Amino acid sequence: MEKKVEASTLGCRSQNLKEKVDNESYCTRSNNKIQNAPSRKSVLTDPAKLKKLQQSGEAFVQDDSCINIVAQLSKCRECRLDSLRKDKEQQKDSPVFCRFFHFRRLQFNKHGVLRVEGFLTPNKYDSEAIGLWLPLAKNIVGTDLDTAKYILANIGDHFCQMVISEKEAMSTIEPHRQVAWKRAVKGVREMCDVCDTTIFNLHWVCPRCGFGVCVDCYRMKRKNCQQGAAYKTFSWIRCVKSQIHEPENLMPTQIIPGKALYDVGDIVHSVRAKWGIKANCPCSNRQFKLFSKPVSKEDIKQTSLAGEKPTLGTVLQQNPSVLEPMAVGGGTASKASSSIKPPCPASTSPLNWLADLTCGNVNKENKEKQPVMPILKNEIKCLPPLPPLSKSSTVLHTFNSTILTPVSNNNSGFLRNLLNSSAGKTENGLKNTPKILDDIFASLVQNKTSSDLSKRPQGLTIKPSILGFDTPHYWLCDNRLLCLQDPNNKSNWNVFRECWKQGQPVMVSGVHHKLNTELWKPESFRKEFGSQEVDLVNCRTNEIITGATVGDFWDGFEDVPNRLKNDKEPMVLKLKDWPPGEDFRDMMPSRFDDLMANIPLPEYTRRDGKLNLASRLPNYFVRPDLGPKMYNAYGLITPEDRKYGTTNLHLDVSDAANVMVYVGIPKGQCDQEEEVLKTIQDGDSDELTIKRFIEGKEKPGALWHIYAAKDTEKIREFLKKVSEEQGQENPADHDPIHDQSWYLDRSLRKRLQQEYGVQGWAIVQFLGDVVFIPAGAPHQVHNLYSCIKVAEDFVSPEHVKHCFWLTQEFRYLSQTHTNHEDKLQVKNVIYHAVKDAVAMLKASESSFGKP
C-alpha cells in the first residue's frame, strides 16, 4: 500500500536515479509532481469482493500500485524502479505513484489467474470524473460577472486554439485505434517523459511500462522515423528488456473524459455570442469533426451532463469572427460589455479597421470627437493623462507612443509592417508613425490637450482623475512608465490594466510604509536562519561558493570589511535559491502574511486574486509554484561593476511583481552616492528618476532594464550576433536569453537600439517600489546597494499568450536547463479559467435575459 504524500512533501514520482538490472535500462521522468496523493484500499484486499471477481471473471480497474498486486503482472516503470531499490526504507518513504493506477483494467481468467484486460476508454467515466472538467458549478468562488466576461474576452481565443489543436491531433489517429482514457489523479501532474512538458489531454502511452509522450514529441519522433533521420532533439527512454519505444506501438490516450473538451468549446462559442463578447478565434474558418470515433448511445447518455450544447456550426453562425478580443476599459467590464455594438462589415483589406472609422461606429455622446477603432476599442477614452509638455508635437508623439508601444500580441509587428509598407516606409521606419495615424490621433487630442495641460500641476507628482477615479500617479521613462503612488488605492487595477494589456511594465511606490519593517531587516534573517547552509554566487564571476551559511551572507550585507573574500577583495555575493523552492510560506509564515496583506493590485498578485488565472486551477491538481521568492544580493557600486548584473538578462514564463522590502547602504565603502549616481546616469535613466535620487529622500536599490516581449526575437538575434563576434558557439539546445549569460551594459544597449531599433525601460527601484514585469519581457537587474527583494508570480489574462509561447520554447532547452520543465501548466490554467468564466456567465443568464 502506498503511503499518503503530504502537501509539504513535494517531489518526483521517483528519485532521479538510474538503475540497470537484467539488462533493462530505467530512468525516471524528472520532477513529476505528486501532492496529496489519496490513500486507498484495493478491492483485492477485500476477500468477499475478490472471490466475486474470481468467480464472475468481470473486468475491474486497477486500484493499487503494480508492486502491491500479484508478481506475474507487468509493472509500470515507476513501480518497477521502486521495487529495484536496495534500501527498503527508501522504498517505503519514496513518493512513487503508479502509472497504471485507475487506468489499467484487470481480469481473472477461468483458471483464476489475474491478467491485463485492457485500459479504460473515454466513455467509461463517472460523475466525479466529468464534473472536474465541465462548467457545472452554480456558485463560483473568487470571481464575479464582470471578471468572467473580461477573462473570456482575453483568453477565449487561446482556449479555442487549444481545442482545435486537440482535434487536429485526434484526427491523425487511425480509425482502428482505440483511444484510452487516463483519468486525472488527485495530486499528480502528468508530464511528458521526453520534454518534461505538462500533459494537458491527448498523449501517447506505452501499454507495457506506462512511458508517456506529449503530442509534440510523438509527432516529431514519428516524422523523424518516417524520414529515416536521427532523432537528436530529445532521447526516448527504453521499455522493459531495453526494447525501443516505437511510435506505432504507443497507445493514444486522453485525460479529459468523454467529449467534455469539445462540449466546453461549443459552450464557449454560445456564451460569447449570447453575452456579446467579441471573438477572433480561428474556429469560424476551419472545420473539424468533433471526435474520430462513432458516437454511441452510451456516449450521448453520459455526456448529457454537459447540458444543452448547440452545434459548432450553429454557434458560429450566431457569432461571426471579428477583429480583436474586446479590451474592457472605461469603467467596469459590465459597462463595456453591455455597450458592445456589431462591427462594421469587414473588408478584405488588411487595413479594414481604418476604413471602419467611417462606418459610424462611434460614441453617440462624442460622435465628432471620438471615433472608435476596433483594435483600440474602449482604450482611447481610457488612455492615461499626459504629463505637462511644452510642445504640441511632443504631446502628439507621447500620445502615439502610449497607444502603439508596445502592444503585446503576436500580430502587433505584422500590423505595423502592414501600416508602414502601405505608407511607403521601410522596416527601419517603424519609429515614425504613418501620417494617416498622425491625423487620426491628432484629431483625438488637439482639443483636449490644450485645455487639460494648462490645468495640470507642475512637478513630479500628478494626481488627475482617470476613468472617473482619483488614482495618484506620475510618469517616468519619458512618459512611457506608469508609476502608481498609493499601493492601497482601490482603483489602481483599473488604471494599471490600461498599460498592462499593452505589455508595458508598471511601478507602484510606497509599499514599505505598509509592511512590518522589523520582519524584513537583515538582523531578523540572521537571527532566525543564520546557521542554515546555503550556496552563494559571486556576481562578478558567477562562481558558486558552497559550504557557506546564511549568516555569512548577512554578516557582510551592510558591512563591506566583514564580507567573504577571494584572493584579492571582498566579494559581491547573492544568496542562491533561498529559501529553496516552495518553502517561503512554510519557513516564513509571518513574512508571507505581511507580504500578501500589503502587496499592491491584489486582484492580480494574490494567490486567490480574481484576475490571477492560476487561482482557477482546482485543488485537485498540483498547483504551480508562483512564489513568493526572495532575491538577496549585495550592491555593485564600483565603476568596473557596471558591466556586471546582479541578475543577467532573462525572461519569465509568468508575470511577476517584485517588491523592494529593504535597502542596505553598506559601511566601509567611500564615495558611494557619487558612484551610484553615475551608474544611474550610465544606465539611461530619465531626468525625473535622477531628480528623485538627488533629492535624497528615498533609498535607491536596483537598476532595471526591461524590454517589450515583442522585441525578444530581435534581442536574441543581437546576442547571437555579438556572441559570434566574440568567437563563442551558439548550441541548438541553448539560448542566450534563457541561459542568463548576458548583461547588457551601456555599449550593448546602445548597439541594440541603433542596429535593431529596440529601446527598453530603464527603471530605478527605490525602497518600497514594486516593479511589475509582464510575462515574456526580457529584463535584467543591477543592484546599486544591498537589497532584499521579494517577487510574487501570477498569470494575468492579458499576457497568457506569452505563457503559452514560452512553454513551447522551453521544451527545446537542454534537459539540465533550469527552465526546461513546464512548471506553469498553462493549458490547464487556461482550461479551468475558461470553464469557471463560462459557469459564471451561464449561471447569470437569467439576469441577462434569454436571447
Side-chain angles (χ1 to χ4, degrees), residues 764-783:
V764 175
Q765 184 184 21
F766 289 75
L767 175 63
D769 287 350
V770 184
V771 178
F772 284 81
I773 309 102
H779 58 282
Q780 62 184 22
V781 185
H782 175 104
N783 277 14

PDB file of all heavy atoms in Angstrom, residues 764-783:
ATOM      1  N   VAL A 764      14.756  52.710 -12.009  1.00  0.00           N
ATOM      2  CA  VAL A 764      15.441  52.617 -10.729  1.00  0.00           C
ATOM      3  C   VAL A 764      14.394  52.281  -9.672  1.00  0.00           C
ATOM      4  O   VAL A 764      13.437  53.036  -9.478  1.00  0.00           O
ATOM      5  CB  VAL A 764      16.177  53.920 -10.377  1.00  0.00           C
ATOM      6  CG1 VAL A 764      16.772  53.821  -8.977  1.00  0.00           C
ATOM      7  CG2 VAL A 764      17.284  54.197 -11.398  1.00  0.00           C
ATOM      8  N   GLN A 765      14.586  51.157  -9.008  1.00  0.00           N
ATOM      9  CA  GLN A 765      13.654  50.689  -7.983  1.00  0.00           C
ATOM     10  C   GLN A 765      14.149  51.160  -6.613  1.00  0.00           C
ATOM     11  O   GLN A 765      15.183  50.726  -6.137  1.00  0.00           O
ATOM     12  CB  GLN A 765      13.550  49.165  -8.033  1.00  0.00           C
ATOM     13  CG  GLN A 765      12.531  48.563  -7.083  1.00  0.00           C
ATOM     14  CD  GLN A 765      12.556  47.039  -7.115  1.00  0.00           C
ATOM     15  OE1 GLN A 765      13.556  46.432  -7.531  1.00  0.00           O
ATOM     16  NE2 GLN A 765      11.473  46.419  -6.680  1.00  0.00           N
ATOM     17  N   PHE A 766      13.378  52.046  -6.008  1.00  0.00           N
ATOM     18  CA  PHE A 766      13.708  52.557  -4.682  1.00  0.00           C
ATOM     19  C   PHE A 766      13.039  51.681  -3.621  1.00  0.00           C
ATOM     20  O   PHE A 766      12.201  50.826  -3.919  1.00  0.00           O
ATOM     21  CB  PHE A 766      13.235  54.000  -4.539  1.00  0.00           C
ATOM     22  CG  PHE A 766      14.021  55.001  -5.347  1.00  0.00           C
ATOM     23  CD1 PHE A 766      13.859  55.099  -6.719  1.00  0.00           C
ATOM     24  CD2 PHE A 766      14.931  55.845  -4.724  1.00  0.00           C
ATOM     25  CE1 PHE A 766      14.581  56.014  -7.461  1.00  0.00           C
ATOM     26  CE2 PHE A 766      15.656  56.773  -5.450  1.00  0.00           C
ATOM     27  CZ  PHE A 766      15.496  56.860  -6.827  1.00  0.00           C
ATOM     28  N   LEU A 767      13.421  51.912  -2.366  1.00  0.00           N
ATOM     29  CA  LEU A 767      12.804  51.195  -1.260  1.00  0.00           C
ATOM     30  C   LEU A 767      11.282  51.376  -1.305  1.00  0.00           C
ATOM     31  O   LEU A 767      10.789  52.495  -1.411  1.00  0.00           O
ATOM     32  CB  LEU A 767      13.345  51.724   0.070  1.00  0.00           C
ATOM     33  CG  LEU A 767      12.697  51.154   1.343  1.00  0.00           C
ATOM     34  CD1 LEU A 767      12.937  49.658   1.452  1.00  0.00           C
ATOM     35  CD2 LEU A 767      13.227  51.876   2.582  1.00  0.00           C
ATOM     36  N   GLY A 768      10.566  50.267  -1.235  1.00  0.00           N
ATOM     37  CA  GLY A 768       9.110  50.315  -1.259  1.00  0.00           C
ATOM     38  C   GLY A 768       8.503  50.289  -2.636  1.00  0.00           C
ATOM     39  O   GLY A 768       7.269  50.229  -2.771  1.00  0.00           O
ATOM     40  N   ASP A 769       9.322  50.332  -3.676  1.00  0.00           N
ATOM     41  CA  ASP A 769       8.803  50.249  -5.049  1.00  0.00           C
ATOM     42  C   ASP A 769       8.510  48.803  -5.417  1.00  0.00           C
ATOM     43  O   ASP A 769       9.263  47.885  -5.058  1.00  0.00           O
ATOM     44  CB  ASP A 769       9.809  50.818  -6.051  1.00  0.00           C
ATOM     45  CG  ASP A 769       9.899  52.330  -6.004  1.00  0.00           C
ATOM     46  OD1 ASP A 769       9.045  52.942  -5.332  1.00  0.00           O
ATOM     47  OD2 ASP A 769      10.819  52.892  -6.623  1.00  0.00           O
ATOM     48  N   VAL A 770       7.448  48.609  -6.170  1.00  0.00           N
ATOM     49  CA  VAL A 770       7.101  47.294  -6.714  1.00  0.00           C
ATOM     50  C   VAL A 770       7.146  47.405  -8.228  1.00  0.00           C
ATOM     51  O   VAL A 770       6.433  48.224  -8.825  1.00  0.00           O
ATOM     52  CB  VAL A 770       5.702  46.840  -6.270  1.00  0.00           C
ATOM     53  CG1 VAL A 770       5.413  45.419  -6.765  1.00  0.00           C
ATOM     54  CG2 VAL A 770       5.571  46.910  -4.755  1.00  0.00           C
ATOM     55  N   VAL A 771       8.003  46.611  -8.855  1.00  0.00           N
ATOM     56  CA  VAL A 771       8.115  46.599 -10.311  1.00  0.00           C
ATOM     57  C   VAL A 771       7.309  45.418 -10.842  1.00  0.00           C
ATOM     58  O   VAL A 771       7.535  44.274 -10.447  1.00  0.00           O
ATOM     59  CB  VAL A 771       9.587  46.491 -10.763  1.00  0.00           C
ATOM     60  CG1 VAL A 771       9.674  46.434 -12.284  1.00  0.00           C
ATOM     61  CG2 VAL A 771      10.392  47.673 -10.234  1.00  0.00           C
ATOM     62  N   PHE A 772       6.367  45.705 -11.734  1.00  0.00           N
ATOM     63  CA  PHE A 772       5.556  44.670 -12.381  1.00  0.00           C
ATOM     64  C   PHE A 772       6.156  44.357 -13.741  1.00  0.00           C
ATOM     65  O   PHE A 772       6.258  45.237 -14.601  1.00  0.00           O
ATOM     66  CB  PHE A 772       4.114  45.143 -12.523  1.00  0.00           C
ATOM     67  CG  PHE A 772       3.333  45.088 -11.238  1.00  0.00           C
ATOM     68  CD1 PHE A 772       3.449  46.097 -10.293  1.00  0.00           C
ATOM     69  CD2 PHE A 772       2.495  44.016 -10.970  1.00  0.00           C
ATOM     70  CE1 PHE A 772       2.730  46.052  -9.106  1.00  0.00           C
ATOM     71  CE2 PHE A 772       1.776  43.955  -9.784  1.00  0.00           C
ATOM     72  CZ  PHE A 772       1.896  44.970  -8.849  1.00  0.00           C
ATOM     73  N   ILE A 773       6.552  43.102 -13.926  1.00  0.00           N
ATOM     74  CA  ILE A 773       7.207  42.673 -15.160  1.00  0.00           C
ATOM     75  C   ILE A 773       6.260  41.752 -15.931  1.00  0.00           C
ATOM     76  O   ILE A 773       5.842  40.705 -15.420  1.00  0.00           O
ATOM     77  CB  ILE A 773       8.525  41.928 -14.878  1.00  0.00           C
ATOM     78  CG1 ILE A 773       9.421  42.739 -13.934  1.00  0.00           C
ATOM     79  CG2 ILE A 773       9.251  41.613 -16.171  1.00  0.00           C
ATOM     80  CD1 ILE A 773       9.414  42.263 -12.509  1.00  0.00           C
ATOM     81  N   PRO A 774       5.894  42.110 -17.158  1.00  0.00           N
ATOM     82  CA  PRO A 774       4.994  41.248 -17.938  1.00  0.00           C
ATOM     83  C   PRO A 774       5.652  39.929 -18.311  1.00  0.00           C
ATOM     84  O   PRO A 774       6.875  39.848 -18.489  1.00  0.00           O
ATOM     85  CB  PRO A 774       4.710  42.086 -19.194  1.00  0.00           C
ATOM     86  CG  PRO A 774       5.113  43.482 -18.851  1.00  0.00           C
ATOM     87  CD  PRO A 774       6.228  43.355 -17.864  1.00  0.00           C
ATOM     88  N   ALA A 775       4.859  38.894 -18.432  1.00  0.00           N
ATOM     89  CA  ALA A 775       5.369  37.596 -18.872  1.00  0.00           C
ATOM     90  C   ALA A 775       6.025  37.743 -20.237  1.00  0.00           C
ATOM     91  O   ALA A 775       5.516  38.439 -21.117  1.00  0.00           O
ATOM     92  CB  ALA A 775       4.222  36.586 -18.951  1.00  0.00           C
ATOM     93  N   GLY A 776       7.169  37.099 -20.399  1.00  0.00           N
ATOM     94  CA  GLY A 776       7.858  37.124 -21.680  1.00  0.00           C
ATOM     95  C   GLY A 776       8.689  38.353 -21.941  1.00  0.00           C
ATOM     96  O   GLY A 776       9.314  38.463 -23.005  1.00  0.00           O
ATOM     97  N   ALA A 777       8.725  39.306 -20.994  1.00  0.00           N
ATOM     98  CA  ALA A 777       9.501  40.538 -21.190  1.00  0.00           C
ATOM     99  C   ALA A 777      10.935  40.331 -20.728  1.00  0.00           C
ATOM    100  O   ALA A 777      11.165  40.112 -19.533  1.00  0.00           O
ATOM    101  CB  ALA A 777       8.856  41.696 -20.432  1.00  0.00           C
ATOM    102  N   PRO A 778      11.937  40.390 -21.603  1.00  0.00           N
ATOM    103  CA  PRO A 778      13.333  40.253 -21.169  1.00  0.00           C
ATOM    104  C   PRO A 778      13.697  41.375 -20.201  1.00  0.00           C
ATOM    105  O   PRO A 778      13.338  42.533 -20.409  1.00  0.00           O
ATOM    106  CB  PRO A 778      14.127  40.370 -22.478  1.00  0.00           C
ATOM    107  CG  PRO A 778      13.149  40.028 -23.556  1.00  0.00           C
ATOM    108  CD  PRO A 778      11.828  40.535 -23.066  1.00  0.00           C
ATOM    109  N   HIS A 779      14.409  41.027 -19.142  1.00  0.00           N
ATOM    110  CA  HIS A 779      14.790  42.045 -18.161  1.00  0.00           C
ATOM    111  C   HIS A 779      16.064  41.631 -17.438  1.00  0.00           C
ATOM    112  O   HIS A 779      16.410  40.453 -17.382  1.00  0.00           O
ATOM    113  CB  HIS A 779      13.667  42.295 -17.158  1.00  0.00           C
ATOM    114  CG  HIS A 779      13.228  41.084 -16.393  1.00  0.00           C
ATOM    115  ND1 HIS A 779      12.403  40.115 -16.932  1.00  0.00           N
ATOM    116  CD2 HIS A 779      13.492  40.667 -15.124  1.00  0.00           C
ATOM    117  CE1 HIS A 779      12.173  39.169 -16.036  1.00  0.00           C
ATOM    118  NE2 HIS A 779      12.839  39.480 -14.923  1.00  0.00           N
ATOM    119  N   GLN A 780      16.760  42.620 -16.892  1.00  0.00           N
ATOM    120  CA  GLN A 780      17.989  42.406 -16.140  1.00  0.00           C
ATOM    121  C   GLN A 780      18.010  43.368 -14.962  1.00  0.00           C
ATOM    122  O   GLN A 780      17.324  44.401 -14.970  1.00  0.00           O
ATOM    123  CB  GLN A 780      19.223  42.619 -17.028  1.00  0.00           C
ATOM    124  CG  GLN A 780      19.343  44.024 -17.591  1.00  0.00           C
ATOM    125  CD  GLN A 780      20.519  44.181 -18.544  1.00  0.00           C
ATOM    126  OE1 GLN A 780      21.015  43.222 -19.120  1.00  0.00           O
ATOM    127  NE2 GLN A 780      20.989  45.420 -18.701  1.00  0.00           N
ATOM    128  N   VAL A 781      18.794  43.013 -13.928  1.00  0.00           N
ATOM    129  CA  VAL A 781      18.817  43.810 -12.702  1.00  0.00           C
ATOM    130  C   VAL A 781      20.261  44.022 -12.258  1.00  0.00           C
ATOM    131  O   VAL A 781      21.076  43.088 -12.292  1.00  0.00           O
ATOM    132  CB  VAL A 781      18.031  43.116 -11.567  1.00  0.00           C
ATOM    133  CG1 VAL A 781      17.963  44.024 -10.346  1.00  0.00           C
ATOM    134  CG2 VAL A 781      16.624  42.735 -12.020  1.00  0.00           C
ATOM    135  N   HIS A 782      20.552  45.247 -11.835  1.00  0.00           N
ATOM    136  CA  HIS A 782      21.871  45.613 -11.305  1.00  0.00           C
ATOM    137  C   HIS A 782      21.635  46.290  -9.964  1.00  0.00           C
ATOM    138  O   HIS A 782      21.098  47.406  -9.913  1.00  0.00           O
ATOM    139  CB  HIS A 782      22.582  46.548 -12.282  1.00  0.00           C
ATOM    140  CG  HIS A 782      23.894  47.090 -11.796  1.00  0.00           C
ATOM    141  ND1 HIS A 782      25.104  46.607 -12.259  1.00  0.00           N
ATOM    142  CD2 HIS A 782      24.200  48.074 -10.902  1.00  0.00           C
ATOM    143  CE1 HIS A 782      26.088  47.274 -11.673  1.00  0.00           C
ATOM    144  NE2 HIS A 782      25.565  48.165 -10.841  1.00  0.00           N
ATOM    145  N   ASN A 783      22.015  45.638  -8.862  1.00  0.00           N
ATOM    146  CA  ASN A 783      21.820  46.227  -7.543  1.00  0.00           C
ATOM    147  C   ASN A 783      22.767  47.400  -7.330  1.00  0.00           C
ATOM    148  O   ASN A 783      23.986  47.274  -7.528  1.00  0.00           O
ATOM    149  CB  ASN A 783      22.065  45.183  -6.446  1.00  0.00           C
ATOM    150  CG  ASN A 783      20.840  44.315  -6.201  1.00  0.00           C
ATOM    151  OD1 ASN A 783      19.906  44.302  -7.005  1.00  0.00           O
ATOM    152  ND2 ASN A 783      20.844  43.581  -5.102  1.00  0.00           N
TER     153      ASN A 783
END
